[in-house]
Amino acid sequence: MRTALACAAAAAALLAASSASAQDGPQIAWNVGLFSDYVFRGYSQTDEEAAIQGGVDLTAGSFYAGAWASNVDFGDDTEAEVDLYGGFRTETGGVAVDFGVVAYLYVEAPDGADYDYVEFKAAASRAVGPVTVGAVVFYSPDFFGLDEEATYVEGNLAFTPADKWTVSGAVGYQALDVNDDYTTWNAGVAYALTDNVAIDVRYHDTDVDGPLSEDRFVGALKFFF
């Protein structure tokens, strides 16, 4: 389950903004990250162990597609998560909008686990000076595991107080039809060491008591190409 895009995008935008150009034709970007834990919507996906993640993005005009992968540890034979996604981005009235779909696939998942699922995404954000405020909704008609319909709603904010620095945070609510609904939040700081390397330190927590959903700090080293 890929980390909610808002905070990851804040670090990526910090590095990409200076190199973005109005070139014609498709453009490809790569990313690789080393994480002390893989946390998705407040839950550790690696049993609180480290993760190696990487992805590739193809952009052609307002359309985009990509793939992303990470190791996971669910206490069974599942080895990795692979996400395939695509969508359409545009801007209207100073508001950036993004409509997309994400397929979450799990390598070597046990038979009958029903881990694989698809989410549809609608997001909007508005930049005012150094502050960007956004919101995103994900909906799945057949979610991970036992849950069927699921909706995740998140509000997020990113602030660039100085060159190379981004402070960001998000609050989300995960609605489920079998397991209990819950709230999650995170906040952190990203710093661009170079045009292609950034570090991120982030605090995650939920209102769920449990070893994989308790509060934690996650450190990351990210590379962009």
Side-chain angles (χ1 to χ4, degrees), residues 25-213:
Q27 298 186 39
I28 297 178
W30 302 81
N31 64 86
V32 177
L34 305 175
F35 294 75
S36 61
D37 193 352
Y38 171 20
V39 178
F40 176 79
R41 298 179 188 171
Y43 279 79
S44 173
Q45 307 295 292
T46 49
D47 196 21
E48 302 184 306
E49 297 296 330
I52 300 175
Q53 305 176 353
V56 57
D57 294 277
L58 172 67
T59 302
S62 295
F63 295 92
Y64 66 90
W68 178 92
S70 174
N71 60 294
V72 297
D73 185 354
F74 297 154
D76 54 27
D77 292 333
T78 309
E79 295 182 352
E81 171 192 341
V82 178
D83 299 348
L84 304 177
Y85 52 89
F88 176 84
R89 297 188 186 101
T90 189
E91 184 175 320
T92 177
V95 177
V97 295
D98 181 350
F99 300 99
V101 59
V102 186
Y104 303 79
L105 310 174
Y106 293 87
V107 180
E108 299 296 333
D111 293 339
D114 196 21
Y115 287 166
D116 296 350
Y117 68 101
V118 172
E119 282 189 322
F120 300 93
K121 176 185 70 174
S125 63
R126 176 69 182 267
V128 181
V131 177
T132 299
V133 179
V136 60
V137 177
F138 287 90
Y139 169 76
S140 176
D142 185 5
F143 196 56
F144 181 88
L146 296 176
D147 288 287
E148 294 297 325
E149 283 194 74
T151 302
Y152 178 75
V153 181
E154 178 186 283
N156 50 72
L157 183 148
F159 171 56
T160 306
D163 185 38
K164 298 185 178 183
W165 290 92
T166 296
V167 180
S168 59
V171 177
Y173 181 78
Q174 179 71 72
L176 303 166
D177 64 353
V178 175
N179 290 294
D180 292 337
D181 301 348
Y182 70 93
T183 301
T184 180
W185 53 93
N186 69 78
V189 178
Y191 178 74
L193 296 171
T194 72
D195 289 342
N196 301 98
V197 183
I199 57 174
D200 185 285
V201 178
R202 190 160 302 278
Y203 173 81
H204 297 265
D205 200 4
T206 73
D207 61 354
V208 181
D209 292 328
L212 299 181
S213 58

